[in-house]
Amino acid sequence: MRIESVTAHAFGPLVDAELELAPGMTVIAGVNESAKSSWHAAIYAALVGRRRGRGAGTRDERQFIDKHRPWDHSQWRVSAVVALDDGRRVELTHDLDGKVDCRATDLALGRDVSAEIMHEGAPDASRWLGLDRKTFAATACVSQAQLLSVLASAEGLQEHLQRAASTAGSDATAAAALAALAKFARERVGRDQANSTRPLRVAKNRLADAQTALSQALDEHEEYLRLVEEAEARRREAGDAQDRVRSVEEVAQATERLLDAVRAAAAAAEEYERAEQAREQLAGRLAEQSDRLSRIEQLHATFPEGPPADHDEAEQVVRAV
């Protein structure tokens, strides 16, 4: 497991600060009170989190809280990104105050993998190393104070190392310890041979199968994302097409209304033409009646005493009218 980066969202004096670690060794240097110890504690907290349980906690836990809780920030949160030997990249997030929003997320698959390393109620990345919070702090996350204590009491460190090398007690020899380790390796580990049925070969075969399955799953996930993106593009195209259909329908409705107006105007024009013809006919008849009235007035002026007595002359008068 390799730590790629650590983010102190709010930890001690650090706020929204990020530390990227090199692939090899990373040295953090600075003057006193430049947050070197805070970064050391933040890395530890980002990897293993805090135990979640009832009670006031141990003395070490209370000291950790007093020393590293932010003084002027409402949150106490750190996160880290680690690369595992199996190729996965996992983001660890820890809410050190509430201890509820704590999780480990596979960055490639977006899947919560907290269950793999859950320990004492919170994700603990040291479980991938076969350790826990306490053993990790004692072996892989040694503080400056612990280093200085070795200088003052080297005999105690030597005694612990000797006891750790022996599985049969403090009186066992180094040869017995080596023999016990070799026997354990033969029975519980085995050799890396293709036909071996021991745990090492079985684990490697399972790892190869898991890596193949993971590669296939990643390919399928990539194809799924491509299909999702394509489906989204088709959805946008369908939406655009629906907008165009609505526009065409609106144009068709406007055209129909225009045609109705044209038809109404044509009907009105026909009605107007008929009315104009009737007016002209009426005007013609009026002119005829006016002419007859003029002739009658002329006859009246000619014969004020009444129609003439002569028959022929009376007939001419009637024809004239």
Side-chain angles (χ1 to χ4, degrees):
M1 179 177 71
R2 187 179 75 84
I3 307 171
E4 292 186 355
S5 65
V6 176
T7 302
H9 304 281
F11 189 92
L14 304 171
V15 177
D16 292 332
E18 183 177 5
L19 176 66
E20 293 186 4
L21 284 78
M25 177 183 292
T26 300
V27 177
I28 302 175
V31 299
N32 290 338
E33 303 300 326
S34 60
K36 299 188 299 297
S37 299
S38 295
W39 271 119
H40 184 273
I43 294 173
Y44 171 77
L47 291 177
V48 304
R50 290 184 58 208
R51 179 184 66 88
R52 183 167 61 185
R54 297 180 179 178
T58 64
R59 181 174 60 86
D60 292 339
E61 290 175 338
R62 291 193 298 271
Q63 290 179 348
F64 186 86
I65 294 172
D66 294 339
K67 189 173 182 180
H68 299 296
R69 182 193 292 275
W71 294 350
D72 53 357
H73 203 282
S74 59
Q75 292 185 337
W76 189 17
R77 180 183 295 270
V78 290
S79 62
V81 175
V82 299
L84 303 181
D85 291 342
D86 59 9
R88 291 184 295 171
R89 295 178 68 249
V90 178
E91 182 181 34
L92 299 155
T93 302
H94 290 286
D95 176 9
L96 301 175
D97 196 6
K99 296 183 289 185
V100 175
D101 185 15
C102 302
R103 61 188 180 279
T105 305
D106 188 318
L107 293 178
L109 301 178
R111 184 176 60 189
D112 193 320
V113 295
S114 303
E116 296 182 14
I117 53 173
M118 192 64 66
H119 178 61
E120 293 182 332
D124 179 0
S126 68
R127 303 295 290 174
W128 279 317
L129 305 176
L131 305 173
D132 57 30
R133 293 181 182 87
K134 293 182 180 179
T135 55
F136 184 79
T139 58
C141 191
V142 182
S143 66
Q144 182 179 3
Q146 291 172 309
L147 290 175
L148 295 176
S149 66
V150 172
L151 297 177
S153 179
E155 295 81 4
L157 176 62
Q158 181 179 5
E159 180 182 356
H160 287 302
L161 291 175
Q162 289 175 343
R163 289 181 178 179
S166 175
T167 58
S170 59
D171 295 332
T173 62
L178 292 175
L181 291 174
K183 180 180 179 181
F184 179 86
R186 288 194 304 271
E187 295 179 353
R188 301 296 180 88
V189 180
R191 295 183 179 182
D192 187 11
Q193 296 177 344
N195 59 350
S196 176
T197 59
R198 294 297 181 182
L200 176 60
R201 187 67 254 175
V202 172
K204 285 200 169 186
N205 291 338
R206 290 179 178 176
L207 175 60
D209 293 340
Q211 288 175 337
T212 301
L214 176 61
S215 178
Q216 182 178 357
L218 291 174
D219 292 340
E220 292 176 353
H221 182 67
E222 186 69 22
E223 178 66 12
Y224 166 76
L225 293 178
R226 186 189 68 79
L227 292 175
V228 168
E229 184 176 357
E230 183 177 351
E232 181 65 20
R234 298 291 85 78
R235 187 191 66 79
R236 290 193 297 268
E237 291 177 359
D240 295 340
Q242 289 178 351
D243 292 339
R244 290 194 294 271
V245 168
R246 283 193 293 268
S247 298
V248 171
E249 290 176 348
E250 291 174 357
V251 170
Q253 292 174 358
T255 303
E256 185 65 26
R257 290 193 297 269
L258 180 59
L259 290 175
D260 290 341
V262 170
R263 285 191 287 267
E270 291 177 358
E271 184 67 23
Y272 174 78
E273 185 176 357
R274 288 193 296 270
E276 187 67 20
Q277 292 174 355
R279 186 190 66 77
E280 291 178 354
Q281 293 174 358
L282 181 61
R285 289 196 296 270
L286 182 61
E288 292 176 356
Q289 296 297 326
S290 180
D291 291 342
R292 291 185 65 186
L293 179 61
S294 296
R295 289 196 294 272
I296 291 171
E297 290 177 347
Q298 290 175 0
L299 289 173
H300 180 71
T302 303
F303 303 100
E305 300 298 333
D310 185 76
H311 176 75
D312 293 334
E313 187 178 0
E315 186 177 352
Q316 291 176 1
V317 171
V318 171
R319 283 198 301 268
V321 174

